[in-house]
Amino acid sequence: MKIPKNPSPQVMQALAAAIIALSLAACSKEDEAGRTPGKQLDDGIAKVERQSDALRANMERGAADAALAASAAVRDVKQASLDIREQVGTDLGDAGIVTLVKARLAADSVMSAASINVDASQGRVVLRGTVADFVAVGRAREIALGVKGVISVDNQVTVKPKARP
């Protein structure tokens, strides 16, 4: 068997487990009078397979944990970005309101695919564009009203009918 120059840690662990299992099977102090070399080899292979399954399960758990941690980190970064944009929005008046409304629309799972233009003048926001359904129309208004400094929202967003095949 040819081993690559730089094998991965998983390959090295599997090889080590196989060598240990085969060594234990060959050098066992148990009563080997009734065990043929073939049986000893089969037992060693079974042991290596069990260890390989346990290693695979540990790796899958580690991958799942890493995915959860990455998801949490993305949420934290999004929230930090919104917090910073909100502070900037407070400081910049209408330009900040427009920036923050756009950021919140983009961060919202319902609205992320929407095409909405945002304008503001003296705290009065105008929303124009198209969305997939009436729920999104209402959600766009809610998001804009939730921004500090917004006095009113003129929601001119329309529903774009879905193309028929």
Side-chain angles (χ1 to χ4, degrees):
M1 178 168 121
K2 185 174 179 179
I3 299 175
K5 286 187 178 181
N6 294 320
S8 69
Q10 292 84 6
V11 170
M12 292 303 294
Q13 288 175 343
L15 281 172
I19 291 169
I20 291 169
L22 291 173
S23 297
L24 289 174
C27 300
S28 176
K29 300 285 185 197
E30 298 175 7
D31 179 14
E32 295 182 7
R35 293 176 63 205
T36 64
K39 174 66 175 148
Q40 291 175 5
L41 182 59
D42 289 345
D43 291 346
I45 290 171
K47 188 172 185 175
V48 168
E49 287 175 347
R50 285 190 303 273
Q51 291 173 341
S52 174
D53 290 343
L55 180 61
R56 183 179 305 114
N58 285 339
M59 288 178 13
E60 288 171 356
R61 278 193 299 274
D65 291 345
L68 286 174
S71 178
V74 167
R75 280 192 310 274
D76 291 346
V77 168
K78 270 187 170 180
Q79 186 58 49
S81 174
L82 285 174
D83 293 345
I84 290 169
R85 287 181 181 171
E86 188 164 338
Q87 181 59 45
V88 169
T90 302
D91 295 341
L92 297 179
D94 288 333
I97 288 173
V98 169
T99 300
L100 190 53
V101 170
K102 285 182 178 182
R104 287 191 178 175
L105 288 170
D108 187 86
S109 61
V110 173
M111 302 304 298
S112 61
S115 174
I116 298 177
N117 183 33
V118 180
D119 292 312
S121 176
Q122 298 177 348
R124 290 168 177 77
V125 174
V126 179
L127 302 174
R128 293 182 189 92
T130 58
V131 293
D133 55 37
F134 288 105
V135 171
V137 172
R139 183 74 183 129
R141 183 175 190 283
E142 288 175 23
I143 289 171
L145 282 173
V147 172
K148 187 176 181 178
V150 172
I151 297 169
S152 66
V153 175
D154 179 8
N155 193 353
Q156 298 178 13
V157 174
T158 60
V159 175
K160 181 179 182 181
K162 293 182 180 178
R164 294 184 186 209

